Amino acid sequence: MSHIRGLRVGEELPPLEIPVTRTLIVAGALASRDYQDVHHDTELAKEKGSPDIFMNILTTNGLVGRYVTDCFGHAAVLRKVAIRLGAPNYPGDTMVLRGTVAEVDGATARVDVVGANGIGKHVTGTVTVELSEGDLSLPEGDLSLPEGEDA
Amino acid sequence: MRGSAGAPGSTHATEPTDGAELAAFLRELKTYEGRPAAEAGVGKDPVNEPMIRHWCEAMGDENPAYAGPDAVAPPTMLQAWTMGGLNGHKGDAGRSAAYDALFGLLDGAGFTSVVATDCEQEYLRPLRPGDVITFDAVIESVSAQKTTKLGTGHFVTTRMDVQANGEPAGTHRFRILKYAPAHSKPRAEPHSKPRGKQPPARPRPVINRDNSGFWAGVERQQLLVQRCTDCAALRFPWLPGCNGCGSPRWDTVEASGEGTVYSYVVMHHPPFPAFNPPYAVGLVELAEGVRMISNVVGVPADEVRIGMPVRVEFRQVEKDLVLPVFRAVPGSAD
């Protein structure tokens, strides 16, 4: 099935470690225009039964997209991103995104992504990405965000 | 539609036990399937570089495709362009009446919390600065009642079609759980002082035209009782007319503040924010003959007795709230 040189089904993408800081949660919520109080106001989040603020789904979606394009190189284009949320991303936790190539069809690859944090699987999903020939090898090295400050 | 919430909990749901009531409720919920969730929505801003940059900064995304003169927006921003932001969409350019009605129905059934569980996006063409975003959304499905780790509720799935300059740009399927939290805590716990920096405020007295004179007296530490200027009957609480003769004319007399407990209750349950049970609420007969209700203080609640002599005390309960309460006269609790 694989028509893409150097990419095999079952191949694992290098993990990306995301420190879940308060700053990331709030910056992601505001950048995605999501002003739900549970994503920025600890007191109100607690009143709603949550132990703290937590990451919104749009930020998770953005991080999953970034993870896949970081892995495949910046000529890769996202076609589909489908995610399901589980354990919330609370401040102080760390989420590690991992991906596995599930299918390769022509220039298109389907990647299964899991982001696990300290309490479980925060996100499971599938990303369909279109790759251009010659830009296919998975890079080595550290994809992690620089350390954020947890206010 | 709202860009509602983020994450918690498991989305693995179990089927509830069925009942005629549940079935009827579900039938009503199902009538919303296929109805619009948003109609002719317009993005508040066209696709633009500053919002793209803010997004990339937040996500730590340094993809060069999202910057520079030929920048495209990160595809995962699709929903962000449709969001109402802090003030929501104006007029009808957002959630539909059907979507609001469905939410109202679920809220009314106690499923007041919202959490987003799934997001499925397909990108049909890149979005570039200047693209004007329009969108329509439909309620695809409303699930039967499900019990999850978070609580019991219904999944609501919507599908949004997003256009850029009128051309299809992407689809966005979004699933939320509208649920009743399984572990919601009561706002106050019995027999405990309120925690946190700010104790809950006591309810304020309702001050109106008819009783403002009484509260003005309290401010001056005077306990004022109304007196009918036609028949001289005293009355309390304050009313616009005389109970005896119906006359609307009155003046006031200052009560001595002495009284006795005519009756009382001791409040244990339910606890209420700003109150710390157990406490005694007395019906106090003033020396002048009228009765009023307030707390009996200065004695353990279980030692309050009918006939106990009390004296008024103006107590500063909060910074801006003084209330007349009745203190047991020392030695009277034996």
Side-chain angles (χ1 to χ4, degrees):
Chain A
M1 203 53 183
S2 173
H3 298 163
I4 302 178
R5 192 164 24 90
L7 194 63
R8 303 180 320 275
V9 168
E11 189 166 353
E12 288 183 6
L13 279 53
L16 171 61
E17 202 170 282
I18 307 267
V20 182
T21 61
R22 223 166 263 285
T23 304
L24 172 60
I25 293 169
V26 173
L30 299 195
S32 57
R33 308 273 298 145
D34 185 346
Y35 289 83
Q36 297 281 320
D37 52 30
V38 291
H39 306 312
H40 64 261
D41 188 322
T42 307
E43 293 297 316
L44 294 179
K46 284 182 177 169
E47 272 187 25
K48 293 182 177 166
S50 175
D52 207 330
I53 61 166
F54 54 91
M55 186 179 283
N56 72 338
I57 194 168
L58 291 90
T59 301
T60 304
N61 206 41
L63 292 172
V64 166
R66 173 199 152 197
Y67 173 53
V68 171
T69 50
D70 278 3
C71 284
F72 283 99
H74 292 146
V77 176
L78 299 174
R79 292 298 176 209
K80 289 183 193 174
V81 176
I83 60 169
R84 166 163 293 186
L85 297 189
N89 265 345
Y90 295 120
D93 207 339
T94 299
M95 174 172 71
V96 181
L97 287 164
R98 294 176 191 278
T100 309
V101 177
E103 191 183 331
V104 180
D105 183 4
T108 302
R110 191 163 57 78
V111 181
D112 290 335
V113 175
V114 175
N117 59 25
I119 51 175
K121 285 182 185 172
H122 168 67
V123 58
T124 51
T126 302
V127 177
T128 306
V129 62
E130 200 172 301
L131 308 164
S132 56
E133 293 283 343
D135 190 25
L136 306 173
S137 54
L138 292 171
E140 300 288 317
D142 185 11
L143 297 168
S144 298
L145 276 175
E147 283 291 322
E149 282 176 31
D150 202 347
Chain B
M1 47 182 290
R2 294 154 69 127
S4 48
S10 167
T11 51
H12 302 291
T14 53
E15 293 290 340
T17 48
D18 265 305
E21 215 169 293
L22 274 181
F25 185 60
L26 182 59
R27 271 197 302 278
E28 193 175 0
L29 294 176
K30 289 280 184 191
T31 63
Y32 288 90
E33 291 184 349
R35 297 179 65 183
E39 286 178 291
V42 180
K44 288 187 111 174
D45 296 288
V47 175
N48 64 85
E49 288 171 66
M51 281 174 65
I52 293 172
R53 192 176 68 253
H54 298 165
W55 172 280
C56 291
E57 286 173 2
M59 303 301 159
D61 198 331
E62 293 172 356
N63 192 333
Y66 307 148
D70 297 321
V72 298
T76 50
M77 280 189 81
L78 187 67
Q79 186 186 0
W81 304 115
T82 70
M83 296 287 279
L86 191 52
N87 298 322
H89 287 287
K90 283 206 182 85
D92 298 328
R95 296 181 2 158
S96 71
Y99 198 69
D100 284 338
L102 174 59
F103 262 54
L105 202 57
L106 289 164
D107 284 334
F111 306 119
T112 52
S113 292
V114 182
V115 65
T117 61
D118 296 77
C119 173
E120 297 168 23
Q121 298 182 333
E122 188 166 0
Y123 313 112
L124 304 174
R125 84 145 170 85
L127 296 178
R128 295 195 160 79
D131 285 348
V132 172
I133 299 297
T134 51
F135 55 94
D136 296 275
V138 65
I139 300 166
E140 267 194 348
S141 67
V142 185
S143 80
Q145 191 173 302
K146 305 282 184 180
T147 299
T148 73
K149 272 188 200 164
L150 281 175
T152 297
H154 294 265
F155 289 94
V156 178
T157 307
T158 53
R159 194 196 69 242
M160 179 182 281
D161 292 308
V162 180
Q163 296 94 34
N165 299 335
E167 298 168 25
T171 59
H172 167 64
R173 181 176 284 112
F174 204 62
R175 185 168 301 123
I176 58 155
L177 176 64
K178 272 290 276 175
Y179 68 101
H183 305 295
S184 56
K185 293 179 186 123
R187 290 175 61 90
E189 288 165 20
H191 305 283
S192 68
K193 292 207 188 297
R195 287 163 304 176
K197 302 148 249 168
Q198 196 100 43
R202 289 181 64 127
R204 265 39 195 172
V206 177
I207 300 176
N208 56 34
R209 215 166 39 168
D210 293 332
N211 69 7
S212 59
F214 172 76
W215 292 104
V218 168
E219 268 183 32
R220 301 189 301 268
Q221 308 235 324
Q222 291 181 314
L223 194 60
L224 297 181
V225 174
Q226 278 177 305
R227 177 173 57 194
C228 176
T229 49
D230 284 311
C231 73
L234 296 176
R235 65 175 185 262
F236 195 92
W238 282 42
L239 291 166
C242 177
N243 292 328
C245 72
S247 165
R249 285 179 291 274
W250 53 272
D251 62 5
T252 60
V253 289
E254 183 181 351
S256 66
E258 307 292 331
T260 53
V261 174
Y262 183 82
S263 184
Y264 69 96
V265 292
V266 177
M267 185 68 187
H268 292 274
H269 191 81
F272 198 78
F275 292 88
N276 199 12
Y279 54 88
V281 179
L283 177 61
V284 170
E285 186 164 281
L286 299 181
E288 291 74 17
V290 297
R291 294 174 195 152
M292 67 179 289
I293 294 173
S294 188
N295 292 106
V296 178
V297 302
V299 60
D302 59 358
E303 290 177 23
V304 174
R305 292 292 179 270
I306 287 171
M308 179 179 271
V310 292
R311 187 176 298 123
V312 76
E313 174 179 306
F314 293 92
R315 179 175 276 199
Q316 188 90 38
V317 229
E318 277 166 27
K319 200 175 160 207
D320 59 344
L321 180 62
V322 174
L323 295 175
V325 298
F326 290 92
R327 177 170 290 278
V329 174
S332 64
D334 302 327

